[in-house]
Amino acid sequence: MPRSACNPCLITLSRLATALLLLAFAFVRPVLAAEERCVSSSSGLLNAILLAQETDVTVRVVQGNYSLDVNPLDQIDDPAFGYNLTIIGGYNDGCTSRVLDPHLTTIGGDADILELQSYDSITIESIRFAHLAGGIYIEAASYGGNGPDEKVTLRRVIFDDLCTSGSCGGTTGAAEIDSDDVSMSHVMAIHNAHSSCALYVDNHDLNAVSLSYSVIADNAGDGLCITRTQAADDDYELFVQNSIFRDNAGGQDIRTRVSPYLNLRNNIFHALEASPAPYILPVSTLDVDPQFIAPDSGNYHLLTSSPAINSGTPLPLDPISQDLDGGPRQIGSAPDRGVYETNVDDSNVITVTSTVDQLFPLVSGSLRWAIIQANADSGLNHIRFNIPGGCPRIITLAAPLPTITDRVIIEGYTQPGSAPNTSFYGFNADICIGIRGNLSADFAFRIPSSVGASHYLQLSGVAIGGFDVAAVDLQGGAGSWIHGVQFAGSLGSTALGNSAVNVRISGSTTYYNLIGGEERADVNVIANAWAAGVLLLASHANGSTVQNNLIGTKASGLSAAPNQVGIQIAGSHHTIHDNLISGNQTVGIELVGASALDNFITDNRIGLRSLILCTPVCETDLPNISHGVYTHGGAHDNTINSNSIAWNGGAGVRLADGQRNSLLSNRIYDNEQLGIDIDDAGVDAIDNDTAAGAATRANRGLNYPVLWSAEGGAQRGNLRTVLLSTNGVYIVQVFSGASCDASGYGQGKTYVTSAITTIENADSNSNGSVVVDIPLSGTLVGRKFTLVARDAQGNTSEFSPCVPYTCDTIFAYGQDGTSALSCPAQ
């Protein structure tokens, strides 16, 4: 294993927590803006990667071959970068457009090992790593849970002919990954010389690993190997779907240790070595020749006779619309297994040729007729469009369309003149098919609750509005996918009308639905609903996902097209990820009722406009009229992490009641009311957290830390804080900004660092206390600091009083080096 990966192995379990805590205190993030770099040379690539020691960085790599002959981590003093690192290949000169095929952007070199390590997350897309003398080691790991879970995400990544030196840099796999969570889609690990494993995943706090649509073949060792350093921890989950393993010389295609929670579906492999044995046996596994076209020369496309064709599962963990080289991901009744999709189509195609809609007599070629035909056919049906005339073509419904009772894919982008979105910042799709309800219909598309989990709706490329219940109403089925759709607004000169709800997901049987998706083509514009843009009523252990949408804005993302509420959640286990939720009439995200639990809200922009291209990076406001996030009615056990919540007309986050609603590492700033407002409106005073009734208050009324001082030299200093509360383990998070909130409490624009501390001296009638000193480094002069606390159960406090940093050499205590800036006059 690489140098830093070995460290936990040398520390006894009793000392591990202490060591991690010391690391947490030692590492502090300076306050800098995120960076984007377009690179076209090997030196430019290396320098751009090194920016991750100072700020979040996205590296856009122009197509070509790059050689890294030095290990990036050898160029810095720390054992890892401090910030999020994203590397995306396939760009043209100038980085104004890109193609997805990773073969076009290759990174090689003669470094002993290529290490990409960060205390935050790492994302790599459309990159081929090839002919590296050593292996590659990718780590995204924090200090024992003192920050949000870090993640390694690989999309369309190839590991080809690694370990050419034979030693492979000391890794236990040709490509080794170390993180709490690992998500891999369209990954190829081929022709790698490591004698142990081609793809190796290991972490002392591993939560989940997912691998979909991938190929691991023709390697010198085993295929996919997953273990865990601390076997005593809770077991991880492994999901492998629609993937192919073949001719791995080590003898084991998949090798796991510690966990029995393996979900293996619709894969091709020969040998599984799992210890312990999986609780659930693999589903739809084939042990056959997948019939690659020319694997010896690296061509892993499928022959048309391959058993992998149309035999995958239509419910992947990470639904995705394009395969490894950018072609359609599903052609036929089911996706192909592996990284490539063939053109073999065994499904039925029904073509809509008329805008006319009437109940009787039924018009052949109408959308209503097409849905009836699809319901009558037991296989998968594609409904495509070829309506004569120019764009747009408007279908005004006479009544709700027939409910959907089978598998159907409705592809509006097949209408001539249509094109999906390509914009990184807004929605520039050309949509030609409009569907109007004119408020005479309850819904346009509905799956009733009686429909089983094997049936679904995939809808794309239409504009839809004017329904007095919901434009799309998902009550049953599973794995429905709504993407590339415009809700409400106008199409050409025709106003579609507004709906009560644009997308409603209800009941207890539907799950794995996806609204949006990870690709630019998947963005939905969800606007102008007079109740809620998205309404999530369903409660199911697997939940649904709302990802990468514009909710409450026009297609540009720069001005409002408000819903009454952006997203309302009254159900459980849903994920709200990477959306723009701004401009809505009341709140951005509302969690309401005791059934609103175990929802995960992360990486959203709430109250801001879409990203604007300017230098330096700038942000502007598009507030939700009330709170950014609002929980009430007993909503509990929800997680709200790493969002940007700004400029809203109420509080950034308002937790009126409910327990264990956790907030970590959010950027909360410039909201009209408090950044975080818990329990009664307004600042809560420091009180006795053991008092009668305290446990029933919102987040148990957890006290914020008291910030005594922030002082030191110009570049190194110290925060001293005291926390008064009940016994237990706490995370204290530090935030900074250029100014304090008008209330004097918060807000926290920039996350700085975290510390873990323990109170162990409280009795049953009064608070205990602990003093925490937190070192600071970076540019400190002129900064204002504020804190929040979170207990081990997930209850988070309000912001502490805001304290300006005092720069004075009296307090430096030798912390500043000889090259440090001197303190300005006070």
Side-chain angles (χ1 to χ4, degrees):
M1 298 176 70
R3 55 192 180 196
S4 58
C6 291
N7 291 342
C9 308
L10 304 177
I11 306 173
T12 64
L13 286 174
S14 62
R15 295 170 56 202
L16 179 59
T18 301
L20 293 173
L21 179 59
L22 290 174
L23 280 173
F25 284 138
F27 175 69
V28 180
R29 306 172 61 154
V31 179
L32 292 172
E35 290 279 353
E36 290 196 15
R37 291 296 172 92
C38 177
V39 301
S40 58
S41 67
S42 298
S43 60
L45 174 61
L46 177 61
N47 291 333
I49 291 172
L50 294 177
L51 288 173
Q53 65 185 313
E54 299 175 343
T55 184
D56 295 340
V57 59
T58 296
V59 185
R60 307 194 188 280
V61 188
V62 173
Q63 298 169 32
N65 296 314
Y66 297 81
S67 179
L68 292 181
D69 296 327
V70 296
N71 181 11
L73 289 192
D74 290 340
Q75 310 302 302
I76 65 175
D77 295 330
D78 289 325
F81 301 127
Y83 289 79
N84 293 306
L85 173 63
T86 300
I87 304 174
I88 307 174
Y91 282 93
N92 66 339
D93 289 337
C95 295
T96 58
S97 65
R98 65 182 284 246
V99 293
L100 301 179
D101 187 352
H103 289 95
L104 301 176
T105 312
T106 296
I107 297 176
D110 294 326
D112 291 338
I113 182 172
L114 177 60
E115 291 178 289
L116 301 174
Q117 295 178 239
S118 176
Y119 299 125
D120 267 333
S121 294
I122 295 177
T123 299
I124 303 174
E125 298 184 24
S126 298
I127 297 288
R128 174 176 175 250
F129 295 97
H131 315 306
L132 284 163
I136 180 169
Y137 180 77
I138 304 171
E139 179 186 47
S142 63
Y143 309 105
N146 69 319
D149 287 343
E150 283 68 29
K151 186 174 184 179
V152 169
T153 301
L154 306 179
R155 302 188 190 100
R156 300 187 183 88
V157 173
I158 299 174
F159 301 110
D160 183 2
D161 191 27
L162 304 186
C163 304
T164 55
S165 67
S167 65
C168 216
T171 63
T172 48
E176 183 172 343
I177 301 171
D178 185 342
S179 188
D180 296 348
D181 292 277
V182 179
S183 175
M184 298 177 284
S185 178
H186 294 79
V187 169
M188 281 210 302
I190 54 175
H191 301 153
N192 294 297
H194 200 291
S195 60
S196 176
C197 292
L199 189 59
Y200 183 90
V201 179
D202 183 20
N203 182 266
H204 76 277
D205 193 27
L206 188 63
N207 296 322
V209 180
S210 66
L211 179 77
S212 63
Y213 295 117
S214 296
V215 169
I216 301 179
D218 300 305
N219 297 289
D222 293 335
L224 172 66
C225 305
I226 300 182
T227 185
R228 196 177 195 169
T229 303
Q230 304 299 335
D233 289 345
D234 293 337
D235 296 325
Y236 62 83
E237 295 180 283
L238 170 65
F239 302 86
V240 182
Q241 296 180 316
N242 296 345
S243 295
I244 299 174
F245 302 78
R246 187 68 176 176
D247 292 332
N248 295 298
Q252 306 299 326
D253 289 318
I254 303 174
R255 173 157 56 90
T256 69
R257 296 290 183 267
V258 178
S259 177
Y261 300 112
L262 313 183
N263 187 326
L264 310 178
R265 303 182 61 195
N266 295 76
N267 302 295
I268 295 177
F269 63 83
H270 175 68
L272 165 68
E273 182 189 3
S275 178
Y279 284 158
I280 301 174
L281 292 177
V283 175
S284 299
T285 295
L286 300 176
D287 183 2
V288 295
D289 183 355
Q291 299 182 31
F292 298 123
I293 288 180
D296 289 345
S297 60
N299 186 345
Y300 286 85
H301 288 81
L302 300 170
L303 295 169
T304 56
S305 57
S306 168
I309 294 174
N310 297 326
S311 66
T313 171
L315 298 175
L317 268 175
D318 299 308
I320 193 168
S321 60
Q322 293 166 288
D323 69 1
L324 185 74
D325 56 10
R329 179 59 269 185
Q330 182 172 335
I331 299 173
S333 60
D336 298 347
R337 308 186 197 205
V339 295
Y340 294 111
E341 186 78 11
T342 65
N343 290 323
V344 178
D345 190 347
D346 64 342
S347 63
N348 186 34
V349 176
I350 305 168
T351 303
V352 176
T353 58
S354 174
T355 60
V356 176
D357 184 65
Q358 60 187 39
L359 300 178
F360 183 83
L362 188 64
V363 176
S364 178
S366 67
L367 179 57
R368 184 176 302 276
W369 166 85
I371 293 175
I372 291 173
Q373 299 300 308
N375 286 337
D377 186 281
S378 60
L380 173 68
N381 287 271
H382 291 256
I383 295 178
R384 296 172 179 165
F385 294 81
N386 189 12
I387 302 174
C391 292
R393 309 304 289 155
I394 306 298
I395 300 171
T396 300
L397 299 183
L401 290 166
T403 58
I404 292 168
T405 58
D406 207 336
R407 295 176 293 160
V408 63
I409 300 175
I410 301 175
E411 302 169 294
Y413 286 122
T414 57
Q415 174 67 24
S418 299
N421 175 60
T422 59
S423 172
F424 283 93
Y425 306 104
F427 184 82
N428 63 1
D430 292 320
I431 292 180
C432 292
I433 299 297
I435 302 172
R436 297 178 68 238
N438 203 24
L439 293 180
S440 62
D442 293 343
F443 59 87
F445 301 101
R446 171 178 286 172
I447 300 180
S449 59
S450 58
V451 172
S454 61
H455 304 308
Y456 56 84
L457 164 68
Q458 291 186 11
L459 176 68
S460 64
V462 300
I464 182 172
F467 298 90
D468 59 7
V469 172
V472 175
D473 190 21
L474 304 176
Q475 302 175 5
S480 291
W481 187 11
I482 313 301
H483 59 116
V485 173
Q486 172 192 324
F487 290 92
S490 297
L491 200 59
S493 61
T494 301
L496 298 171
N498 302 334
S499 298
V501 175
N502 287 318
V503 180
R504 184 174 78 163
I505 301 176
S506 61
S508 60
T509 60
T510 186
Y511 59 93
Y512 277 158
N513 303 296
L514 176 63
I515 312 303
E518 65 180 27
E519 305 292 341
R520 301 315 305 163
D522 298 333
V523 174
N524 298 299
V525 178
I526 300 175
N528 292 312
W530 41 273
V534 178
L535 178 58
L536 301 174
L537 303 172
S539 291
H540 190 282
N542 293 318
S544 295
T545 297
V546 181
Q547 178 182 8
N548 194 24
N549 301 285
L550 302 174
I551 301 176
T553 78
K554 295 182 179 179
S556 66
L558 302 177
S559 58
N563 306 288
Q564 183 71 9
V565 176
I567 301 176
Q568 186 179 80
I569 307 172
S572 67
H573 296 91
H574 302 294
T575 297
I576 313 300
H577 172 59
D578 197 27
N579 301 281
L580 178 68
I581 308 170
S582 300
N584 295 287
Q585 288 283 5
T586 55
V587 301
I589 299 176
E590 180 181 18
L591 297 112
V592 55
S595 295
L597 73 151
D598 288 324
N599 298 290
F600 187 52
I601 300 169
T602 182
D603 292 307
N604 301 284
R605 293 166 58 83
I606 304 171
L608 294 83
R609 299 178 195 265
S610 180
L611 291 172
I612 299 173
L613 291 175
C614 61
T615 301
V617 173
C618 60
E619 298 176 329
T620 55
D621 63 306
L622 186 58
N624 299 291
I625 301 304
S626 184
H627 310 304
V629 179
Y630 180 35
T631 74
H632 62 109
H636 61 98
D637 291 281
N638 299 288
T639 299
I640 305 166
N641 283 358
S642 302
N643 303 280
S644 294
I645 306 172
W647 288 302
N648 296 286
V653 179
R654 175 76 173 100
L655 307 178
D657 53 30
Q659 301 283 308
R660 300 172 300 280
N661 289 306
S662 174
L663 307 173
L664 281 177
S665 305
N666 298 286
R667 301 174 65 237
I668 302 175
Y669 60 98
D670 289 329
N671 298 283
E672 286 294 320
Q673 298 176 14
L674 295 179
I676 302 173
D677 192 356
I678 294 174
D679 206 60
D680 295 335
V683 176
D684 288 345
I686 296 290
D687 56 15
N688 184 4
D689 280 354
T690 68
T696 64
R697 297 174 60 193
N699 273 11
R700 73 178 182 89
L702 178 64
N703 290 330
Y704 49 77
V706 177
L707 182 52
W708 281 353
S709 63
E711 56 193 16
Q715 293 184 325
R716 294 183 184 273
N718 185 75
L719 291 180
R720 170 157 288 192
T721 182
V722 62
L723 178 63
L724 299 113
S725 192
T726 56
N727 285 343
V729 178
Y730 294 84
I731 296 171
V732 176
Q733 288 206 310
V734 181
F735 298 84
S736 76
S739 61
C740 292
D741 186 75
S743 67
Y745 293 77
Q747 298 178 32
K749 184 171 185 178
T750 301
Y751 167 66
V752 178
T753 191
S754 298
I756 300 175
T757 192
T758 301
I759 296 175
E760 51 188 2
N761 56 358
D763 60 34
S764 59
N765 298 312
S766 62
N767 290 327
S769 64
V770 62
V771 175
V772 185
D773 285 307
I774 305 174
L776 299 174
S777 65
T779 303
L780 301 175
V781 176
R783 307 306 297 174
K784 312 295 190 297
F785 289 93
T786 185
L787 310 172
V788 299
R790 198 201 75 166
D791 67 17
Q793 290 71 46
N795 296 296
T796 303
S797 73
E798 295 181 346
F799 280 114
S800 74
C802 179
V803 172
Y805 184 76
T806 300
C807 183
D808 194 322
T809 53
I810 294 175
F811 301 107
Y813 300 117
Q815 294 182 85
D816 278 353
T818 56
S819 62
L821 298 174
S822 61
C823 286
Q826 300 296 305

